[in-house]
Amino acid sequence: MAKTPSEAPRPVNFDRIARPYRWLEYGTLGPLLQRTRVYFLPQMLDCRQALVLGDGDGRFVAELLRRNERVRVDAVDTSGAMLALLERRARSERVTTHRLQAMDYVPEAGTDLVATHFFLDCLTQAEVDALALRVAGGLVPGGLWVVSDFRIPAGVMRWPARFYVGMLYRVFGFLTGLHVRRLPDHVAALTAAGLTRIGLRRRLFGVLTSELWRADGNGVLQ
């Protein structure tokens, strides 16, 4: 049965949280999310063409540009307000913004870095599976994909983490109309797309994870 207009879900809109986004983040986990984003920056200093999906207000992009003086960045987001903040923070001609769905963007030739920081958790499993195949196909051999995200750890922290992540989903669902309520398995998606995880850093008892993946799957980063 088709939904009536009153029953249809609200369209997802991150514009309304763009300006307070940084402070909402600090109010929940302080600097931990930004530390998670930038953990693998030292491994990105030789990258030249980056695709950044859903960077929010642009703090990762700004730091990447500061640390890597030759990289060019394509930043993709559906939120015009978030992209405006990103451009203002980056202040660089090396950044090109694209307001569209991630699945609608075709990576530039020579893309050797993909960054998805707290973005894949806004997608369904089917969307993450499809995005991984599409974007990984545009990575050069040896190209990197860095992921920051929430995870549900095993052991004693499993149920507190499930409660906390569930609460975050409910809050962001109320503020933005986001309908996703469950973390997708990005590890399975990236593995199926032919990438190998070469770096891993967990924080907050495993609730936060920084991961570095490589397209050719050779070797392990120490």
Side-chain angles (χ1 to χ4, degrees):
M1 180 181 296
K3 293 184 177 181
T4 66
S6 62
E7 296 174 323
R10 289 185 297 156
V12 180
N13 183 356
F14 283 90
D15 285 354
R16 59 174 59 93
I17 65 166
R19 289 190 178 278
Y21 184 72
R22 183 175 188 174
W23 307 113
L24 288 171
E25 184 174 296
Y26 282 148
T28 53
L29 291 173
L32 286 181
L33 296 187
Q34 182 64 0
R35 290 177 184 172
T36 301
R37 291 185 187 99
V38 302
Y39 181 77
F40 284 113
L41 263 179
Q43 283 71 47
M44 305 175 204
L45 302 186
D46 292 328
C47 296
R48 295 293 174 263
Q49 185 67 47
L51 169 59
V52 181
L53 303 176
D55 190 37
D57 58 12
R59 276 169 287 151
F60 169 77
V61 167
E63 191 64 17
L64 174 63
L65 293 169
R66 187 182 72 82
R67 299 278 297 274
N68 183 334
E69 296 182 351
R70 290 188 286 176
V71 70
R72 303 191 66 85
V73 176
D74 286 293
V76 178
D77 205 307
T78 58
S79 169
M82 288 290 195
L83 288 175
L85 289 174
L86 184 152
E87 290 177 327
R88 192 177 309 160
R89 179 165 279 118
R91 296 184 181 276
S92 174
E93 295 180 354
R94 290 184 286 143
V95 175
T96 304
T97 58
H98 309 267
R99 187 179 181 183
L100 73 170
Q101 297 285 345
M103 274 298 295
D104 294 333
Y105 181 77
V106 179
E108 290 286 333
T111 296
D112 56 2
L113 173 64
V114 176
T116 49
H117 297 298
F118 303 103
F119 169 71
L120 299 180
D121 55 14
C122 296
L123 307 179
T124 65
Q125 186 65 54
E127 289 169 338
V128 172
D129 291 343
L131 182 70
L133 289 172
R134 180 181 178 86
V135 174
L139 269 173
V140 300
L144 302 176
W145 188 325
V146 60
V147 177
S148 301
D149 225 324
F150 295 96
R151 302 301 292 162
I152 305 298
V156 68
M157 285 298 297
R158 177 177 178 84
W159 291 108
R162 286 176 64 91
F163 174 80
Y164 179 72
V165 171
M167 179 186 68
L168 288 179
Y169 270 129
R170 288 191 292 273
V171 170
F172 272 82
F174 173 76
L175 292 174
T176 69
L178 183 70
H179 63 279
V180 176
R181 291 294 183 270
R182 179 179 300 178
L183 290 171
D185 185 353
H186 70 261
V187 172
L190 295 182
T191 300
L195 283 79
T196 297
R197 189 167 62 188
I198 59 170
L200 173 64
R201 173 69 162 88
R202 295 187 177 96
R203 296 179 186 273
L204 199 66
F205 308 102
V207 177
L208 297 176
T209 182
S210 304
E211 301 177 14
L212 191 65
W213 295 73
R214 188 163 59 199
D216 63 4
N218 295 322
V220 176
L221 181 70
Q222 298 298 327

